[in-house]
Amino acid sequence: MVNYSQRHLDLAFGALAHPIRRGILARLSKGEATVAELARPFKVSAPAISKHMHILEQAGLLSRTKHGREHRCRLEQKRMKEAEAWIERYRTFWNDRLDALERYLKENP
Amino acid sequence: MTIAKPAQNASDREIVITRLVDAPLERVWRAWTDPAEIVRWWGPHGFTTDTNHREFKAGGLWKHTMIGPDGTPYSNTTKYEEIVEKERIVYTNGGGKEDGPGVHFRSTVTFKHRGGKTEITMRAVFDTAAMREHAVKQYGAIEGGNQTLSRLAALVQGEFVISRLVDAPRQRVWKAWTDPAELGRWFGPKGFETFHAQLDFRPGGSYHYGIKGNGIEMWGKWVFSEIEVPAKLGFVQSFSNKEGGPGVHPLAPTWPKQTLSTILFQDFGPKTLVTVYWAPLDATEAERKTFLDGMAGMNEGWSGTFERFDAYLGENS
C-alpha cells in the first residue's frame, strides 16, 4: 500500500507554510549549505533561523551532519517529493483526467 | 448538483430562472458584487469572462467579453439601473456576436433568505418576443442561464467546476466513460496503470478499480447515483480496498470520505463539451476545507504554496 505517512505529510505542509522555510529549502535544492550560509539572505536573528531549521528537520525535509564545528544541511528530496505528489494529485485531478480522455479519443477514434 | 428548472414564463418576452443556493445571502451577494468573483462563474458552461471596465453602482457600466468554449468572443455591456443592497440588482444588457444582430434585455435579479440558503430569481425581459426567441434559439439563453446559476452555486457552495471541449462526437465520449473495456484505459492518474477495473453500469451499480504506479497501489470505487444516456453521469467516489469495501484516504485524514462527481455531456457542433462538477458529500467542516484547499485557484491553499515555491525555485536556480 502507500508508503507515505500522514503524520509526515502534516508536518511537511506545516513546515512549508512559511516564506523563510521555503527560502531555506530553495537554497538547499541547489546543494548542501552551512547554517550560516542559510541564514545569510534573511534579516532575522540566529535563534529565529534555528527555530525554522528545527521545524524543517522535524518534518523530515532537512537533515544536518556535523563536520568538526560546522553543521552542514541538506534537503531530504524524498519527503519533498511525497508532499508534492500529494498536492499534485488533487490540484490537477480533473484537468489531468480530461487531458487523458482527449489523448485516448485521439488514439482511439 | 441539480440544474434549476425555469419558472413559468409570464409573457412571451420574458425568461425567468430561479435557483435555491446552499449558501447565506451575504455570500451570494459577494459573488455578484466582487469584480474578482463575478468573472469566475458568469456565463454558461465552458465560458470565461474578461472585464474591461466595471463600475458597480446605479448608472455604472460593466463592459465585459464572454469567450465561448471554442474561443468565440461575445462583447457585452451591462448597465446597472438599480442596486438595492442584498436585495435586488436591475440591469440592462446589450451584446452578442461581433457581427450578429444584438440581444437587448432588462434583467431583474432578486435575492431572498430561505433559512440559511438563498433563492435567486433572474427575470430577463427582452425588447420584443422575436428577440427573446432569437436569444433562446441562437444562444440557448434558458439552458445558459441555468448553467450560469449552477456555476454560481458551485462557487459559493465550495464545489469545483471544469469544462473542456473534446474533439469527438458525444456518443463516442460517452462510450469512453461507460464501457468497461475503455474506462480503465484512460482514467488513471498520470504515471499510474489500471490493473483492476470492474464495472457494473446501472444506477446503484459501481465501478471498482485498482491503480498502481511509482510503487504505490490504490483502490477506489464509484457508485452511480445518476445515469442519463448520453448526457449526464453522477457518481459517488470513495477510497476503497481490494475487496471493494470502504477504504481510507491514504494520505490525508481530512480529505472528504465521499465526493460526488457530476459529468455533463453537451453537443457543441461536431465536438462535445464535457463539464465536471465535483463536490464533497456529507462532509465535515474540516473535510470541506481540505477539499477547497486542494483546488487550484479556489482558495489560498497548499497549491498556492507550491506554486510560489516552484516559482521561487525557478527564479533562484
Side-chain angles (χ1 to χ4, degrees):
Chain A
M1 201 49 206
V2 180
N3 42 24
Y4 302 157
S5 137
Q6 270 171 24
R7 169 126 182 91
H8 272 121
L9 274 166
D10 288 349
L11 286 170
F13 285 132
L16 283 162
H18 195 284
I20 288 183
R21 295 197 288 271
R22 289 195 296 270
I24 291 173
L25 293 175
R27 166 63 188 85
L28 288 177
S29 71
K30 288 183 281 183
E32 291 189 6
T34 63
V35 177
E37 282 166 350
L38 287 175
R40 202 164 297 146
F42 306 106
K43 293 180 182 71
V44 292
S45 68
I49 284 290
S50 160
K51 197 192 88 188
H52 287 307
M53 297 195 37
H54 182 68
I55 291 169
L56 288 168
E57 226 170 2
Q58 289 290 301
L61 295 166
L62 178 152
S63 63
R64 296 190 225 207
T65 46
K66 212 170 172 183
H67 293 271
R69 290 184 56 205
E70 230 179 40
H71 284 274
R72 295 199 69 79
C73 306
R74 63 190 189 91
L75 182 67
E76 286 298 320
Q77 301 277 359
K78 186 168 166 284
R79 284 275 181 265
M80 194 65 212
K81 284 209 167 14
E82 283 171 1
E84 275 183 337
W86 185 87
I87 202 64
E88 196 57 26
R89 182 164 310 154
Y90 293 103
R91 192 160 72 89
T92 59
F93 180 79
W94 277 111
N95 208 20
D96 286 352
R97 296 298 74 70
L98 294 173
D99 283 347
L101 173 65
E102 282 192 304
R103 278 197 304 275
Y104 176 76
L105 288 171
K106 202 167 275 176
E107 290 158 13
N108 302 272
Chain B
M1 209 277 317
T2 51
I3 298 279
K5 294 277 179 291
Q8 201 156 32
N9 290 343
S11 91
D12 59 359
R13 291 196 294 129
E14 270 187 5
I15 295 173
V16 182
I17 295 166
T18 59
R19 187 176 173 114
L20 187 66
V21 171
D22 192 1
L25 200 154
E26 289 69 24
R27 177 70 192 89
V28 176
W29 182 257
R30 179 150 59 89
W32 279 85
T33 55
D34 182 332
E37 287 220 335
I38 194 163
V39 294
R40 288 170 65 185
W41 58 269
W42 193 257
H45 291 154
F47 277 71
T48 52
T49 298
D50 286 336
T51 293
N52 309 319
H53 169 87
R54 188 165 191 263
E55 200 174 4
F56 187 68
K57 63 170 196 185
L61 297 181
W62 179 32
K63 293 182 181 177
H64 60 281
T65 305
M66 295 170 65
I67 300 154
D70 59 349
T72 307
Y74 304 86
S75 298
N76 283 272
T77 300
T78 293
K79 185 180 182 193
Y80 297 107
E81 304 280 346
E82 187 192 1
I83 295 167
V84 182
E85 179 89 6
K86 289 169 195 168
E87 220 174 273
R88 188 166 67 239
I89 300 170
V90 183
Y91 62 88
T92 50
N93 192 82
K97 256 186 193 169
E98 301 278 334
D99 51 353
V103 176
H104 302 273
F105 59 87
R106 180 187 176 86
S107 195
T108 303
V109 188
T110 49
F111 304 85
K112 287 202 170 72
H113 288 286
R114 289 282 182 258
K117 302 184 180 182
T118 308
E119 186 184 277
I120 306 168
T121 304
M122 289 177 83
R123 178 183 298 267
V125 182
F126 292 81
D127 291 359
T128 63
M131 197 179 277
R132 177 196 182 277
E133 198 65 7
H134 178 72
V136 170
K137 293 243 168 78
Q138 201 62 38
Y139 293 115
I142 294 174
E143 191 49 33
N146 281 317
Q147 291 176 3
T148 298
L149 289 189
S150 289
R151 289 179 65 193
L152 166 64
L155 175 71
V156 297
Q157 290 169 185
E159 302 173 8
F160 176 75
V161 190
I162 188 170
S163 289
R164 180 75 67 89
L165 192 57
V166 175
D167 191 7
R170 185 150 64 127
Q171 288 290 352
R172 179 71 196 90
V173 179
W174 178 263
K175 187 170 171 290
W177 277 88
T178 55
D179 183 329
E182 296 209 84
L183 186 53
R185 290 177 60 193
W186 64 269
F187 192 80
K190 247 179 224 166
F192 280 76
E193 176 208 345
T194 304
F195 65 92
H196 175 90
Q198 195 180 347
L199 179 66
D200 175 17
F201 190 63
R202 59 181 171 83
S206 67
Y207 174 54
H208 179 227
Y209 60 92
I211 52 175
K212 62 181 170 191
N214 309 321
I216 297 170
E217 183 177 307
M218 287 179 78
W219 295 85
K221 194 175 178 177
W222 301 353
V223 175
F224 296 102
S225 52
E226 205 175 356
I227 297 174
E228 200 185 305
V229 186
K232 189 175 182 180
L233 197 58
F235 53 85
V236 176
Q237 196 169 7
S238 58
F239 291 88
S240 184
N241 57 24
K242 203 181 259 186
E243 287 73 39
V248 289
H249 190 300
L251 304 175
T254 57
W255 183 259
K257 282 164 201 71
Q258 295 188 317
T259 55
L260 175 66
S261 298
T262 306
I263 324 295
L264 303 165
F265 304 85
Q266 281 173 257
D267 289 324
F268 199 96
K271 301 183 179 184
T272 307
L273 185 67
V274 179
T275 298
V276 177
Y277 282 79
W278 195 25
L281 195 66
D282 301 327
T284 63
E285 206 49 47
E287 288 175 347
R288 285 188 172 277
K289 185 170 186 316
T290 304
F291 183 83
L292 271 178
D293 288 352
M295 300 296 109
M298 284 191 70
N299 217 329
E300 272 290 321
W302 294 115
S303 55
T305 299
F306 271 101
E307 274 156 23
R308 287 195 299 271
F309 183 63
D310 288 344
Y312 191 95
L313 288 181
E315 287 161 17
N316 294 280
S317 48

